[in-house]
Amino acid sequence: MLNELMQLAGRLNLTGSSPFIKKKIHWFIDLNAAGELVDLSPTVSNWVKAKTGETQENRGKEYLSPVAFYIKINESGKIIAAGGGGKAVAEPGAGNIPEIFCKEINVGKDKVNIQPLKDSDNYKYSNLLTLHKDFADKYPNSYLANAVYHFLKKSTNISLEDIFSEIFRYDKDEYFYRKKMKEIATETFSFRVSGKLILNDSSFKKWWENEYSDSRNKILSVLPEGVDLLSMERNSYGKLTTVFPHISGVPNGGPYCPLASFDKDPFQSYGFDSITTPMLLENAEKIGASLNWLLHDDYSHLKISDIVSVFWSIPQQSDAKIEKPTFVSLLESSDPFEVREYLSSPWTHTRNEIETSKFYLALISSPKARITLRSWRAETLKEAEKKLKSYFQTILIPLNGEDITFSISELAAVTVRKPKKGQPAKPLPNTYISLFEMALFGVPVPHKLFKEVLIRQGVEIAKGAEEKDFEKRLAARTAIIKLFFKTTKGGDMEQEEHTIETTPGYLCGRLLAILDKIHHDAHRESGGTNNSPANRVYSAASKTPALIFPRLCNLARHHLNKIGGGWANCLEYGIPKEERGDGINEDFEGLAKVCSRLKETVDKEFPRTLSLVDQGRFAIGFYYEREHSRKLRKKENSSNNKTDADPNIETETK
């Protein structure tokens, strides 16, 4: 992966040693020439959606802003990370609430608390103040430098409560005020003096270029020399870094989050301290710059929970433009129309690009303030798009007569219990990783994940269909089970093949759905029931059918007698597709037919046990049969349509 990131840096002309980077600024602090506060002005920017081309207004606007050199020498002369130990690094021209006002904002359920920083955190304010004092001392005739410095000297006395309560109309909407203050607690402010932005001031830029260059040259003078591990074939000799650049934008990353920590195992060994994995400073800077670029570009990364995916595509032609594989963002789409449009569209790149370009994807997280590489994959762009289209075709699933689809977040969420108030239920990182790898690279769904989904299926069906989001969660788990068969068995298990499936597990699932429907229809006139066969015995029926189904079938006879008439006949012996009035273009085979087909496959007996794989087939058969008979009814002019229970009534299965 490091070599590919180096290659990307070359294509994008990234050096990693620039004293400026693009940073999102959310607010301007407007000052007059004397450094007095005039106003606070929010910033906005327009963001164009890659797929639809729609323009969306977002909070914050990007500006080229100073960045601190990431290495420093401590009091004992040791080379360390500038942001190591959880210490935030001040960067002039912009800052957050603690750095500018020496305060912190804490938003509770009922109120907003704004209080001075703890003594241990005062350095955040004092470091920024010191930098702007240096700038003002260097340019004593600059009204802009002096105005910002004079403002910062007195900013601790400013009442943020008065300013923001007026901006957000605290007296009108307390909830809105709390919501906005929670956002402001993490937002970035810059300075504008008499209408001039400090980040655009030429004197400010020149001053910081010199400061950054001096810091970097000082570190270079004391770094060890050696051969770069990534460049040994080219005999690349030079200054070796012992600290990796900070990677921003990863959840829980903190003020310093490196990709590699050379002073930690396994890099520190055999008495060689921190140079057992040698890397040139300039190469580490380029790798860090590439990764930060990917995490900064809206079309090159996707954050889901604590996992971040970064992806890019590089054409073989050295002069070709870097293409952004925007189709990856669809993995967080739950819009079936957007997905269908993608499935029916031609390739999103030219045929030559598709055939030759390489597609790369890395899944990273930061559980302990260091980047953890969860997965690294490489494929041709053609194969990646092909796998993604196959993935979407598999997870498109009917619900209430319409096809729906799911984002990766939604699929992961149904593998664990529903979160309760004060009791969050968070999917494991490996769940997200498995779904990503399967969607883009066709990696088989792990048996462990498959088993977890089946267990969760039985638990939630036992709770009953009255549970909120029951239907959608059931559909999402069925989609994951389908993905298992697609990636491990090569079968599609699509609804078009519903009536021709002959495996015992699938037929047992269908049978339970029909018995469930008969049960519900038998209790319709008495107000319905939540205690159906599926609620009671789904897990047992999917594992040991021979112990469960004989008793259920005997009970179904009583229910059919209770329903009586032609409608009981339809449920038992089926309805030809020509006589169905619910829009489903297939025969409803009925209880007798499914039982007959099942006994033909297992020597006239119900199977004693079903394997884990067959339990998955059971789940799919149950879902499709349940969905296809949800609003089962006959046409009004059908023959033999006289029933004691009106067959034209839509009999939706709960």
Side-chain angles (χ1 to χ4, degrees), residues 385-400:
E385 282 215 59
K386 180 181 176 182
K387 299 283 176 51
L388 186 61
K389 288 193 172 187
S390 174
Y391 164 81
F392 280 127
Q393 287 167 342
T394 303
I395 66 171
L396 273 173
I397 195 165
L399 179 62
N400 288 321

Side-chain angles (χ1 to χ4, degrees), residues 74-198:
N74 65 10
E75 294 80 1
S76 61
K78 185 176 181 180
I79 299 173
I80 62 172
K87 293 284 187 179
V89 180
E91 294 167 340
N96 54 28
I97 292 289
E99 292 171 326
I100 295 175
F101 298 99
C102 199
K103 293 181 174 67
E104 61 180 358
I105 299 174
N106 295 306
V107 181
K109 293 181 179 180
D110 301 320
K111 61 180 180 178
V112 175
N113 290 319
I114 302 177
Q115 52 196 22
L117 288 178
K118 300 175 183 177
D119 291 343
S120 59
D121 290 334
N122 277 342
Y123 75 91
K124 298 176 183 179
Y125 166 76
S126 59
N127 285 352
L128 184 66
L129 179 65
T130 300
L131 284 173
H132 279 279
K133 181 181 184 301
D134 293 344
F135 176 42
D137 291 344
K138 187 72 174 179
Y139 292 89
N141 296 325
S142 169
Y143 75 92
L144 189 147
N146 286 295
V148 173
Y149 175 54
H150 287 308
F151 168 79
L152 287 172
K153 284 196 299 182
K154 299 180 292 184
S155 63
T156 57
N157 299 322
I158 294 175
S159 173
L160 297 181
E161 292 93 334
D162 293 343
I163 294 174
F164 289 119
S165 61
E166 182 178 347
I167 291 175
F168 298 125
R169 303 298 300 274
Y170 170 70
D171 58 323
K172 298 292 184 182
D173 191 336
E174 185 178 344
Y175 172 78
F176 179 74
Y177 172 70
R178 291 200 308 272
K179 178 182 176 183
K180 286 299 178 182
M181 291 303 287
K182 190 173 184 179
E183 294 174 357
I184 285 171
T186 60
E187 291 182 334
T188 304
F189 297 70
S190 186
F191 306 97
R192 191 163 55 187
V193 181
S194 299
K196 185 173 183 179
L197 182 61
I198 188 174

Side-chain angles (χ1 to χ4, degrees), residues 264-283:
K264 302 292 188 298
D265 294 336
F267 296 109
Q268 188 180 56
S269 58
Y270 305 110
F272 290 105
D273 194 46
S274 56
I275 58 171
T276 56
T277 306
M279 184 182 297
L280 289 180
L281 173 66
E282 60 190 70
N283 287 347

Side-chain angles (χ1 to χ4, degrees), residues 57-347:
E57 193 174 85
N58 281 352
R59 286 278 295 110
K61 188 174 182 178
E62 290 183 344
Y63 291 88
L64 206 59
S65 307
V67 60
F69 187 60
Y70 71 96
I71 306 176
K72 69 177 183 180
I73 300 175
N74 65 10
E75 294 80 1
S76 61
K78 185 176 181 180
I79 299 173
I80 62 172
K87 293 284 187 179
V89 180
E91 294 167 340
N96 54 28
I97 292 289
E99 292 171 326
I100 295 175
F101 298 99
C102 199
K103 293 181 174 67
E104 61 180 358
I105 299 174
N106 295 306
V107 181
K109 293 181 179 180
D110 301 320
K111 61 180 180 178
V112 175
N113 290 319
I114 302 177
Q115 52 196 22
L117 288 178
K118 300 175 183 177
D119 291 343
S120 59
D121 290 334
N122 277 342
Y123 75 91
K124 298 176 183 179
Y125 166 76
S126 59
N127 285 352
L128 184 66
L129 179 65
T130 300
L131 284 173
H132 279 279
K133 181 181 184 301
D134 293 344
F135 176 42
D137 291 344
K138 187 72 174 179
Y139 292 89
N141 296 325
S142 169
Y143 75 92
L144 189 147
N146 286 295
V148 173
Y149 175 54
H150 287 308
F151 168 79
L152 287 172
K153 284 196 299 182
K154 299 180 292 184
S155 63
T156 57
N157 299 322
I158 294 175
S159 173
L160 297 181
E161 292 93 334
D162 293 343
I163 294 174
F164 289 119
S165 61
E166 182 178 347
I167 291 175
F168 298 125
R169 303 298 300 274
Y170 170 70
D171 58 323
K172 298 292 184 182
D173 191 336
E174 185 178 344
Y175 172 78
F176 179 74
Y177 172 70
R178 291 200 308 272
K179 178 182 176 183
K180 286 299 178 182
M181 291 303 287
K182 190 173 184 179
E183 294 174 357
I184 285 171
T186 60
E187 291 182 334
T188 304
F189 297 70
S190 186
F191 306 97
R192 191 163 55 187
V193 181
S194 299
K196 185 173 183 179
L197 182 61
I198 188 174
L199 298 177
N200 293 336
D201 181 66
S202 58
S203 298
F204 177 74
K205 290 181 177 180
K206 183 178 180 181
W207 166 73
W208 186 248
E209 285 174 355
N210 292 333
E211 291 288 317
Y212 186 92
S213 178
D214 290 346
S215 298
R216 189 173 186 274
N217 289 334
K218 182 180 179 181
I219 295 299
L220 276 171
S221 67
V222 297
L223 285 178
E225 295 184 345
V227 178
D228 187 284
L229 178 70
L230 297 177
S231 313
M232 290 185 67
E233 294 181 0
R234 299 187 293 274
N235 194 30
S236 182
Y237 187 86
K239 294 289 186 176
L240 301 176
T241 185
T242 57
V243 179
F244 200 85
H246 169 59
I247 306 301
S248 61
V250 182
N252 307 316
Y256 176 62
C257 185
L259 177 63
S261 297
F262 301 128
D263 61 333
K264 302 292 188 298
D265 294 336
F267 296 109
Q268 188 180 56
S269 58
Y270 305 110
F272 290 105
D273 194 46
S274 56
I275 58 171
T276 56
T277 306
M279 184 182 297
L280 289 180
L281 173 66
E282 60 190 70
N283 287 347
E285 289 175 323
K286 289 177 181 178
I287 292 169
S290 290
L291 200 47
N292 279 317
W293 182 87
L294 293 167
L295 288 163
H296 175 80
D297 184 75
D298 288 332
Y299 306 118
S300 300
H301 75 276
L302 189 62
K303 293 182 182 179
I304 301 179
S305 187
D306 292 335
I307 303 290
V308 183
S309 65
V310 293
F311 39 86
W312 68 99
S313 175
I314 296 186
Q316 282 192 344
Q317 300 84 352
S318 59
D319 58 344
K321 181 182 177 182
I322 295 292
E323 290 288 342
K324 299 176 182 179
T326 55
F327 57 82
V328 180
S329 63
L330 281 171
L331 287 172
E332 269 302 272
S333 173
S334 56
D335 183 352
F337 299 103
E338 188 176 14
V339 170
R340 282 209 174 278
E341 180 186 357
Y342 172 69
L343 291 175
S344 62
S345 66
W347 300 110

Side-chain angles (χ1 to χ4, degrees), residues 438-451:
M438 185 271 309
L440 289 165
F441 301 99
V443 177
V445 173
H447 275 73
K448 182 180 179 181
L449 177 59
F450 176 61
K451 184 177 181 180

